[in-house]
């Protein structure tokens, strides 16, 4: 009663974590530079996919504009491509996703006419945007068909890409305080380079939000608010309706500050909605926001 929901989640979090690890290991990250311009990696790739699937000729800029314009008749279809086909490709690149696996995944989402040549083009597009991934995997890059056979149990074998340096996960080792070795493709993409530091940053965000909401001595605007749920990179908060804007600013700033302790050179971006009912597609007249912050920088919050 008397409150609204503020639902906040991180944008491009997996890529932010991957770029932090890659810069640590290679000394440079093109991926980080792209992310720091505000580019959403999924948005860029989905335009290429949309053009191939529907025989269109949109430029990247046109695709980004359509994604932001719900009135455009192409918006819904382009957004569906982004959700169903793009994330499989772009997130899989860091783990050495190969054509056959990617092709099966995209077809399973309902795109029956997609060919392996299309998928190969999409994977190449993503890898060319992030050349440091090739440094990470080395000369035996997983997309050239060279595989390493290993035994899961006495009766079954699996084939995975051979990594250049399978024990080069120092960044995550320092964060978790454990020794991580002999990484497989799925572990590399799903857990270690991306999800391990992301999870730690999210834990810090949740602790910081709880402190501001529960500790009266901090004299914070969030005191008295409630954190109802945390799912992966998302936090659902209930704040007093009368001061929702001040609470929005504080929540976004807290989320950014927490993740900057993990990836201090990155632009940390969060997306926020304000609404009366969690999960309702309409925001009940409230605007949708995008907020970002660099370390020791000013918080920027803009209506989307």
């Amino acid at each position: 009663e008397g409150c609204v929901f503020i639902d906040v989640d991180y944008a491009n979090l997996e890529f932010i974590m991957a770029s932090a690890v890659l810069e640590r290991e290679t000394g440079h990250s093109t991926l980080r530079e792209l992310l720091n311009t505000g580019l959403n990696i999924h948005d860029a790739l989905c335009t290429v996919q949309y053009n191939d699937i529907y025989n269109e000729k949109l430029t990247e800029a046109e695709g980004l504009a359509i994604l932001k314009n719900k009135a455009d008749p192409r918006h819904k279809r382009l957004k569906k491509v982004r959700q169903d086909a793009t994330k499989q490709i772009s997130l899989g690149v860091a783990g050495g996703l190969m054509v056959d696996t990617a092709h099966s995944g995209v077809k399973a989402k309902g795109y029956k006419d997609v060919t392996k040549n299309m998928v190969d083009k999409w994977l190449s597009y993503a890898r060319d945007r992030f050349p440091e991934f090739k440094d990470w995997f080395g000369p035996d890059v997983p997309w050239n068909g060279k595989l390493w056979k290993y035994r899961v149990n006495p009766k079954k074998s699996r084939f995975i890409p051979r990594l250049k340096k399978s024990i080069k996960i120092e960044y995550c080792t320092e964060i978790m305080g454990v020794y991580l070795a002999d990484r497989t493709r799925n572990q590399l993409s799903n857990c270690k380079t991306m999800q391990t530091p992301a999870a730690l940053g999210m834990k810090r965000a949740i602790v910081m939000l709880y402190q501001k909401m529960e500790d009266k001595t901090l004299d914070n605007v969030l005191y008295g608010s409630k954190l109802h749920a945390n799912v992966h990179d998302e936090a659902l908060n209930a704040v007093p309706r009368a001061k929702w804007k001040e609470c929005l600013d504080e929540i976004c700033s807290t989320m950014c500050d927490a993740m900057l302790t993990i990836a201090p050179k990155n632009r940390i971006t969060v997306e926020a909605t304000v609404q009366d009912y969690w999960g309702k597609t309409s925001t009940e007249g409230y605007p949708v926001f995008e907020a970002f912050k660099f370390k020791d920088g000013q918080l920027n919050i803009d209506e989307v």
Side-chain angles (χ1 to χ4, degrees):
E1 185 68 26
C3 291
V4 293
F5 282 128
I6 294 181
D7 193 12
V8 188
D9 61 39
Y10 291 102
N12 282 317
L13 183 59
E14 290 88 354
F15 288 112
I16 288 172
M17 293 301 112
S19 70
V21 173
L22 289 164
E23 175 146 24
R24 179 68 171 265
E25 300 301 338
T26 67
H28 176 73
S29 175
T30 305
L31 176 57
R32 180 182 64 81
E33 293 177 354
L34 285 171
L35 290 168
N36 283 356
T37 67
L39 175 69
N40 188 303
I41 302 301
H42 301 311
D43 290 351
L45 175 59
C46 81
T47 302
V48 176
Q49 293 178 299
Y50 179 86
N51 286 339
D52 289 342
I53 293 171
Y54 296 108
N55 196 26
E56 295 279 354
K57 295 182 179 180
L58 297 176
T59 65
E60 186 175 295
E62 290 171 337
L64 295 176
I66 293 171
L67 284 169
K68 294 178 180 179
N69 182 12
K70 293 183 179 180
D72 192 297
R74 297 165 292 183
H75 170 83
K76 190 173 182 179
R77 192 160 64 174
L78 186 60
K79 193 167 183 180
K80 188 176 187 304
V81 170
R82 182 189 186 279
Q83 183 64 34
D84 292 342
T86 304
K87 289 189 175 182
Q88 292 193 51
I89 301 294
S90 53
L91 291 176
V93 167
L97 185 68
M98 301 180 75
V99 173
D100 287 345
T101 305
H103 184 238
S104 298
V106 173
K107 289 187 71 174
K109 289 294 185 177
Y111 298 101
K112 303 297 183 183
D113 296 330
V114 167
T115 67
K116 289 186 178 181
N117 285 338
M118 289 182 187
V119 172
D120 187 45
K121 173 185 174 182
W122 302 339
L123 287 170
S124 296
Y125 173 86
R127 294 182 193 115
D128 288 344
R129 301 295 293 265
F130 321 132
E132 63 267 36
F133 280 131
K134 295 182 180 180
D135 294 332
W136 177 269
F137 285 111
D140 290 333
V141 287
W143 48 87
N144 69 2
K146 293 185 178 180
L147 302 174
W148 170 42
K149 182 178 179 180
Y150 81 105
R151 197 161 291 282
V152 179
N153 61 49
K155 295 183 179 180
K156 294 183 179 180
S157 295
R158 288 184 61 190
F159 292 87
I160 63 168
R162 188 200 310 269
L163 301 184
K164 180 183 180 183
K165 296 180 180 178
S166 62
I167 313 180
K168 201 153 178 56
I169 318 286
E170 297 170 2
Y171 185 82
C172 297
T173 304
E174 291 175 8
I175 290 177
M176 298 302 293
V178 295
Y179 186 72
L180 307 172
D182 198 20
R183 299 280 63 86
T184 68
R185 171 171 62 88
N186 288 334
Q187 289 172 326
L188 179 65
S189 61
N190 296 334
C191 301
K192 299 305 181 282
T193 22
M194 293 180 175
Q195 305 297 8
T196 298
L200 184 62
M202 192 64 199
K203 288 176 184 176
R204 293 182 181 182
I206 296 303
V207 169
M208 291 165 69
L209 287 172
Y210 266 126
Q211 287 175 330
K212 293 177 179 181
M213 293 176 179
E214 302 287 341
D215 188 348
K216 189 174 183 178
T217 64
L218 295 179
D219 192 26
N220 190 275
V221 69
L222 290 179
Y223 179 73
S225 300
K226 297 294 180 183
L227 202 162
H228 282 291
N230 160 227
V231 183
H232 183 45
D233 63 347
E234 179 179 1
L236 178 68
N237 312 271
V239 305
R241 188 184 303 270
K243 56 177 183 178
W244 69 265
K245 186 60 173 67
E246 296 91 330
C247 290
L248 172 79
D249 293 354
E250 186 65 25
I251 289 171
C252 289
S253 183
T254 303
M255 296 279 284
C256 289
D257 287 343
M259 206 58 70
L260 281 168
T261 66
I262 308 298
K265 294 183 179 180
N266 286 75
R267 163 181 163 144
I268 306 298
T269 302
V270 296
E271 297 166 345
T273 58
V274 185
Q275 50 202 359
D276 291 322
Y277 301 93
W278 184 40
K280 200 167 185 178
T281 54
S282 168
T283 57
E284 297 296 317
Y286 295 102
V288 177
F289 298 92
E290 181 182 74
F292 71 90
K293 190 175 188 180
F294 292 94
K295 189 174 180 65
D296 301 326
Q298 191 73 24
L299 180 71
N300 293 272
I301 300 183
D302 300 307
E303 291 184 20
V304 177

